[in-house]
Amino acid sequence: MRFPPHQLLSLLFLWVGAIENANISALVVENTEIAVNFERTNWATGSVAQDPFYRPPPVTNSTPPGTVLAVEEFTDTTVYTLPPGLSLSRILYVTETLNGTAIPASAYVLWPFQPKAFRSEYSSLNVSGVPVVGFAHGTSGVFGECAPSHIRNLWYQYSAPYTLALQGYAVVAPDYAGLGVNRTSEGEDILHAYLNNPAAANDVFYAVEAAQNAFPELSKQFVTMGHSQGGGASWGAAQRQHSRPVTNYLGTVAGSPVTNAAELIAINPANVAIVGLLSRGLQSIYKTFTDKEWLTEAGVALNSLAKEIQGCNSADYQLYSDPTQWLRPDFAESWYLGAYVNLTSVGRQPISGPMLVFQGTQDQAVNHTVTSRVVQDTCSLYPESQIEYAIVEGATHVPALYAVQQLWLDWIEDRFMGVKVEAGCRSRNISSLRPVANYQPELSYYLQYALEPYVVA
């Protein structure tokens, strides 16, 4: 269902008991309601629960990952906030969980007006068709409603997908398993395993494979790219390429990557909010896990409330604002945290293919010292790794994408041009042309859906 601004209703009064059990203040309730209503006004196709596109056909373990389940060739762009000259498709496909289970998932394909051309006299590759970038998004939430494919601005808008498509690339972007398609055809929940980098890497590879099968005009060659949660996924793609090589993979870009959740929490206590998100999907890996392992009674109630609301990033930011209320002080001693991090973190492992990593020094979410240490450790352990590391002076989390846009666009173009990358690691510091204090530090806008022509005249 869609909620026009003039018809927004109170969403939380239905859960008075859950609110009391979660012990959250009236201010948090009010802020969460505002956040949930804001999120729902940005649904392009209404709730995923009502959109028949997200209802998958049956999938069994004999269904090969990468199989195309459904194709919406021409998605209605008038309900999105896309730039002019771009087209959109959505697909359902089969991906693979960390334990090898085949499950349905959703993705979008963002099409350029014209494909990027690579001058043959300078290229050592014969790129035929629309060049493909598999894009892994940063944290949007952990419920079905948090799928970028049904959010008006595709969640990352000009930060990466719009920019890539406007440059002539076809962007194939998985929602990640559990987002968008959150139930099997039999009605079983598909839980999103948050920060499960190897599983998210599977989502990227199989989304690209399915899109290439669905649309023959796409190139066989592809680059992967991701940011934040997706930066960890794209680093996971480089590791996956080492153990399970895929033909025509050209390399990956890992921006502000979440490599190790435990290290991020240890260096910045504000990051404990991710524990709430991790706890919601951990049963997809460990059947014996319950959120009581990490959360107080109020925290368990908060998770229950969050599941009822089906809120995403904006709502989570409000709901989990006070960890002293919901987080057990001994959560880090739980066996499950260490086991999950060891199973799903990236870095300090071999990779194949070239990888560009960039990281802002003022990043509030992913501390640059963590990323630098993981890069250095990986290069020490595997000195033949083809890693280029760019440290972006003064840049914060998402703004780092904008600050070094030229860097990653040129790097991706070089991969499609067949430019060779020598073995070994290289790092450099990138500073601003003018004093960094004089630059716009954060996003100060969002793309608002225009209801009347005069708004964009």
Side-chain angles (χ1 to χ4, degrees):
M1 65 191 73
R2 195 170 301 152
F3 292 80
H6 62 281
Q7 292 182 1
L8 292 179
L9 304 175
S10 175
L11 298 168
L12 300 183
F13 75 93
L14 297 173
W15 301 299
V16 172
I19 289 170
E20 291 177 351
N21 291 337
N23 195 29
I24 55 178
S25 68
L27 178 61
V28 170
V29 171
E30 181 181 0
N31 288 343
T32 302
E33 181 177 358
I34 293 170
V36 170
N37 283 331
F38 171 76
E39 289 176 350
R40 295 188 175 197
T41 61
N42 284 286
W43 291 348
T45 60
S47 169
V48 296
Q50 271 94 40
D51 187 341
F53 171 77
Y54 295 101
R55 298 172 194 164
V59 170
T60 69
N61 272 336
S62 63
T63 310
T67 297
V68 182
L69 298 175
V71 177
E72 184 180 78
E73 186 169 0
F74 299 106
T75 302
D76 181 9
T77 60
T78 65
V79 294
Y80 289 82
T81 52
L82 300 185
L86 299 186
S87 179
L88 187 66
S89 304
R90 296 189 296 178
I91 63 172
L92 298 188
Y93 68 103
V94 180
T95 188
E96 186 178 72
T97 66
L98 191 63
N99 66 8
T101 302
I103 55 173
S106 52
Y108 70 79
V109 181
L110 189 61
W111 298 87
F113 195 82
Q114 285 283 302
K116 186 171 181 65
F118 304 98
R119 294 183 61 177
S120 58
E121 64 266 35
Y122 299 114
S123 176
S124 61
L125 288 182
N126 182 22
V127 178
S128 176
V130 188
V132 174
V133 176
F135 180 70
H137 65 86
T139 302
S140 59
V142 297
F143 297 118
E145 303 293 7
C146 309
S149 66
H150 98 124
I151 297 173
R152 290 192 194 276
N153 67 1
L154 302 181
W155 187 237
Y156 256 65
Q157 35 106 356
Y158 286 101
S159 303
Y162 289 5
T163 299
L164 286 164
L166 289 169
Q167 290 294 314
Y169 297 98
V171 180
V172 178
D175 290 325
Y176 300 142
L179 308 185
V181 178
N182 60 354
R183 285 187 177 86
T184 67
S185 61
E186 296 79 23
E188 296 179 3
D189 288 340
I190 300 174
L191 301 179
H192 174 57
Y194 182 54
L195 300 184
N196 186 333
N197 291 320
N202 286 342
D203 295 343
V204 176
F205 274 99
Y206 290 128
V208 169
E209 180 181 345
Q212 290 169 330
N213 290 333
F215 303 105
E217 61 267 43
L218 294 177
S219 70
K220 296 302 181 185
Q221 299 93 341
F222 68 99
V223 166
T224 62
M225 177 181 179
H227 178 261
S228 192
Q229 178 185 1
S234 57
W235 192 315
Q239 292 181 182
R240 186 186 190 277
Q241 182 67 12
H242 178 79
S243 58
R244 302 168 66 182
V246 174
T247 304
N248 293 315
Y249 166 87
L250 301 179
T252 197
V253 179
S256 313
V258 179
T259 53
N260 185 305
E263 288 186 4
L264 286 183
I265 295 169
I267 203 166
N268 183 3
N271 283 331
V272 296
I274 67 177
V275 176
L277 305 186
L278 287 170
S279 68
R280 298 184 199 165
L282 213 66
Q283 276 195 333
S284 65
I285 306 296
Y286 304 110
K287 302 303 180 185
T288 56
F289 176 82
T290 68
D291 49 9
K292 292 180 181 178
E293 294 278 345
W294 293 348
L295 310 184
T296 64
E297 288 186 13
V300 173
L302 188 64
N303 262 9
S304 179
L305 175 62
K307 184 177 180 180
E308 291 291 332
I309 294 172
Q310 294 282 301
C312 300
N313 245 31
S314 299
D316 287 337
Y317 184 78
Q318 303 301 328
L319 276 177
Y320 292 88
S321 58
D322 184 4
T324 62
Q325 293 289 323
W326 57 266
L327 186 64
R328 283 179 50 164
D330 61 346
F331 82 95
E333 300 168 17
S334 163
W335 174 87
Y336 290 101
L337 181 63
Y340 188 69
V341 168
N342 289 337
L343 194 63
T344 61
S345 63
V346 292
R348 306 181 178 99
Q349 300 176 54
I351 67 169
S352 286
M355 179 168 69
L356 169 66
V357 181
F358 63 86
Q359 176 66 60
T361 61
Q362 298 301 311
D363 195 318
Q364 320 92 315
V366 178
N367 190 282
H368 77 281
T369 59
V370 172
T371 303
S372 295
R373 185 165 58 242
V374 173
V375 170
Q376 291 165 6
D377 290 349
T378 304
C379 292
S380 295
L381 290 167
Y382 306 98
E384 295 301 301
S385 301
Q386 299 168 287
I387 298 178
E388 179 180 351
Y389 181 40
I391 303 166
V392 191
E393 299 290 345
T396 56
H397 193 52
V398 175
L401 279 162
Y402 293 85
V404 293
Q405 185 180 104
Q406 291 184 75
L407 172 68
W408 50 262
L409 282 173
D410 288 347
W411 193 93
I412 291 171
E413 181 175 11
D414 282 349
R415 302 292 73 76
F416 283 98
M417 291 285 288
V419 177
K420 300 298 182 184
V421 177
E422 294 181 2
C425 297
R426 292 159 293 279
S427 66
R428 56 171 160 158
N429 287 58
I430 298 178
S431 57
S432 56
L433 175 67
R434 309 184 75 197
V436 71
N438 295 97
Y439 284 85
Q440 171 63 26
E442 299 289 343
L443 289 171
S444 59
Y445 68 91
Y446 68 95
L447 298 182
Q448 184 173 343
Y449 184 66
L451 299 173
E452 298 293 342
Y454 72 83
V455 177
V456 294

